[in-house]
Amino acid sequence: EIVMTQSPATLSVSPGERATLSCRASQSVSSNLAWYQQKPGQAPRLLIYGASTRATGIPARFSGSGSGTEFTLTISSLQSEDFAVYYCQQYNNWPPGDTFGQGTKLEIK
Amino acid sequence: QVQLQESGPGLVKPSETLSLTCAVSGYSISSGYYWGWIRQPPGKGLEWIGSIYHSGSTYYNPSLKSRVTISVDTSKNQFSLKLSSVTAADTAVYYCARHLRPYSSSPFGYWGQGTLVTVSS
């Protein structure tokens, strides 16, 4: 079973600055990695799939990179609406056990 | 635009069976794609429960497989979740979702708003 580990658990960043979130897989997932954003009381929203492809309607300030076991989500210039919890998900090994990472909370500094 | 809406009891007693339905609009389930259930305990992360194809083919999370049944009703354009022998640990917001691509090994591109199910006597 592949284990997804996100770091840090909480990230404090000021609006306008860059945020970098990490996700590590316990074994290679190729580029089969997605990122989701979840705001309080809302369902998760798909941001990135295929490690680096933005989903429909996602602003260009969101970018994903990586392959194999190391992945990064970068938000280039934080807007107020970007403060949320972010989850990574592997879908290379299917059916999975724990397919999602534990999440990174992005909070205002 | 694909829309999903969960429905079902918000309170279930311990040892009983949790039953939820996901109504789909804007897309015919019989046209394809996998459809899934994901849950989130209060204040915690996401857990995939299982996914189903319109033909009835299913994949389940091994940790829940012995208690989970997911079924599809194409005539009503909906799919359902049954989780048996529930305990307080099954208290969570339950989401239904559609996979982004027409195969199960793809992320979830469309989500319902979620429904809170509490397990308590």
Side-chain angles (χ1 to χ4, degrees):
Chain A
E1 178 181 312
I2 298 176
V3 177
M4 307 302 294
T5 303
Q6 294 185 239
S7 62
T10 303
L11 182 61
S12 300
V13 182
S14 300
E17 293 188 341
R18 174 190 296 257
T20 302
L21 289 69
S22 296
C23 176
R24 173 178 294 178
S26 60
Q27 62 189 77
S28 177
V29 298
S30 186
S31 294
N32 295 312
L33 190 286
W35 290 95
Y36 299 84
Q37 175 194 68
Q38 187 179 34
K39 298 179 180 179
Q42 296 185 16
R45 176 175 70 148
L46 179 64
L47 296 176
I48 301 283
Y49 63 94
S52 61
T53 301
R54 280 189 301 276
T56 302
I58 301 305
R61 65 180 181 274
F62 291 91
S63 63
S65 62
S67 66
T69 62
E70 300 283 344
F71 300 88
T72 300
L73 173 69
T74 301
I75 310 171
S76 60
S77 179
L78 281 165
Q79 308 296 305
S80 58
E81 62 266 28
D82 300 334
F83 292 96
V85 179
Y86 291 83
Y87 294 94
C88 63
Q89 180 208 7
Q90 72 84 15
Y91 50 93
N92 187 68
N93 181 33
W94 200 269
D98 293 328
T99 181
F100 294 97
Q102 81 278 20
T104 290
K105 181 179 181 181
L106 180 58
E107 63 177 26
I108 300 175
K109 185 175 182 180
Chain B
Q1 176 75 342
V2 181
Q3 294 186 311
L4 302 96
Q5 179 68 57
E6 307 88 350
S7 63
L11 181 64
V12 181
K13 290 182 168 55
S15 80
E16 295 190 345
T17 296
L18 177 159
S19 296
L20 295 174
T21 296
C22 181
V24 178
S25 58
Y27 188 85
S28 173
I29 286 181
S30 60
S31 295
Y33 287 86
Y34 272 85
W35 306 81
W37 288 97
I38 304 98
R39 70 179 183 178
Q40 184 173 38
K44 297 188 178 180
L46 301 166
E47 179 180 35
W48 172 72
I49 299 171
S51 298
I52 189 165
Y53 196 54
H54 68 88
S55 62
S57 173
T58 53
Y59 290 107
Y60 296 136
N61 187 325
S63 68
L64 297 169
K65 187 174 183 177
S66 63
R67 298 194 293 131
V68 173
T69 301
I70 297 176
S71 59
V72 64
D73 186 339
T74 55
S75 67
K76 295 182 178 179
N77 214 38
Q78 64 186 35
F79 60 105
S80 299
L81 168 70
K82 291 188 184 299
L83 181 66
S84 64
S85 305
V86 298
T87 69
D90 295 309
T91 294
V93 174
Y94 286 76
Y95 295 100
C96 60
R98 196 198 83 174
H99 287 261
L100 183 67
R101 295 289 185 247
Y103 36 85
S104 60
S105 57
S106 66
F108 296 100
Y110 301 89
W111 294 69
Q113 65 184 28
T115 187
L116 174 63
V117 179
T118 301
V119 179
S120 175
S121 56

